[in-house]
Amino acid sequence: MGKDTFYGRHFLKLLDFTPEEILSLIDLAADLKQKKKQGIPHDELRGKNIALIFEKTSTRTRCSFEVAAHDLGMQATYLDPSASQIGKKESIADTARVLGRMFDGIEYRGYEQSIVEELAQYAGVPVWNGLTNEFHPTQMLADMLTIREHKGKLAGCRLVYMGDARYNMGNSLMVACSKLGLDFTACTHRDFFPDSGLVDTCKKIAAENGGKITLSEDAETATRGADIIYTDVWVSMGEPESAWKERIDKLMPYQVTKRIMDNAGPQAIFMHCLPAYHDLQTAVGRDVHDKFGLSEIEVTNEVFEGPQSVVFDEAENRMHTIKAVMYATMKE
């Protein structure tokens, strides 16, 4: 992978990349993962500095960027929601131009995709999307690496996403699958189907790469024989508390249970981008239990802790794939 392919480019959404480019980033991540496991130094970006803008906090994304940066020899400056004036006291364009003079790369995790796109337009250095309302591309690389590690391939695998498929995870999984030849099914109440325009776009991309896109309200039919069952929290950060009742009422048929995993079959793996509400060990989980009587929400503890769950492999791979993105876009 030469500098002509990625050097100086932004990483904002997978729609911007060819299947070959996405696979090369996954290959690079696998190589960097092996080097880390073997204790082989790869601090080839010494002297560089990156800024991490977090308008939405995250354990995995922050730790992944910081550890990956340190492994590559870089320094990382974390700007939490109270430390950045982006869009408040300073425009996005001005923020980008200031940080671009001080840092060699900028990560953004927050709200509208338009914000990270505008940062990229003005920064003059690579900008990476750590999550927006619409897309979560670094999570996708981690997910695809994890699937390949456990299934031995990507193309031809069948992934079923259960839950609210309208936002970053449903959108991004649909895009990633269409690019890499996996069959993608959004299995949910029709009120939570992905945007029809993006569905049409992904159907065209999938047809070019040997995959297909399906929308289904029938959990039993959709999950039968699936290779990957994937879910996420039903109410995202920043959404009103009132959203819980509607989601619970409409999404309980799409909770990932042992029955769902048995219906998929023993070959199926369970994935979740975390955090997960599978027990009462979180403040949110206890609050939902007190109000609605549920001790498990989008996935049961039996599945989450079960032998088909690969969620912690998936979480670790966030770091290796984020490292690949930074290396590829910054290494001259």
Side-chain angles (χ1 to χ4, degrees), residues 141-195:
L141 294 183
D143 291 345
M144 294 302 123
L145 175 60
T146 306
I147 292 168
R148 194 172 73 175
E149 287 174 343
H150 284 273
K151 304 299 294 181
K153 63 176 185 175
L154 289 170
C157 287
R158 202 153 68 77
L159 185 149
V160 179
Y161 179 77
M162 305 185 74
D164 190 340
R166 298 172 297 174
Y167 301 120
N168 46 47
M169 286 307 300
N171 290 345
S172 296
L173 284 165
M174 184 166 60
V175 170
C177 289
S178 66
K179 287 278 186 177
L180 299 179
L182 291 81
D183 290 345
F184 172 84
T185 299
C187 180
T188 184
H189 190 285
R190 66 175 53 253
D191 289 351
F192 304 127
F193 283 166
D195 174 75

Side-chain angles (χ1 to χ4, degrees), residues 268-305:
I269 58 175
F270 170 72
M271 301 182 72
H272 193 306
C273 57
L274 304 184
Y277 301 136
H278 59 97
D279 56 23
L280 298 179
Q281 301 304 308
T282 64
V284 171
R286 290 190 294 272
D287 186 53
V288 169
H289 176 265
D290 291 345
K291 289 178 177 149
F292 303 102
L294 296 175
S295 58
E296 305 159 311
I297 308 178
E298 73 277 4
V299 58
T300 63
N301 195 59
E302 183 178 19
V303 170
F304 186 88
E305 299 288 0

Side-chain angles (χ1 to χ4, degrees), residues 13 49 60 84 91 128 153 157 168 217 257 259 262 319:
K13 57 186 184 298
N49 293 276
R60 278 151 304 283
S84 168
S91 71
W128 314 295
K153 63 176 185 175
C157 287
N168 46 47
E217 290 189 281
T257 62
R259 184 182 63 79
D262 287 346
M319 190 269 290

Side-chain angles (χ1 to χ4, degrees), residues 1-9 17 20-21 24-25 28 324-332:
M1 178 170 38
K3 64 181 181 181
D4 293 337
T5 304
F6 290 106
Y7 178 68
R9 287 177 67 180
F17 295 87
E20 293 74 23
E21 288 172 335
S24 69
L25 286 172
L28 175 60
V325 169
M326 293 195 294
Y327 183 94
T329 55
M330 298 180 73
K331 176 66 175 173
E332 298 186 53

Side-chain angles (χ1 to χ4, degrees), residues 119-140:
L119 280 172
Q121 181 181 350
Y122 289 99
V125 297
V127 172
W128 314 295
N129 179 0
L131 173 140
T132 62
N133 292 342
E134 294 90 342
F135 294 108
H136 198 357
T138 58
Q139 180 71 51
M140 292 307 100

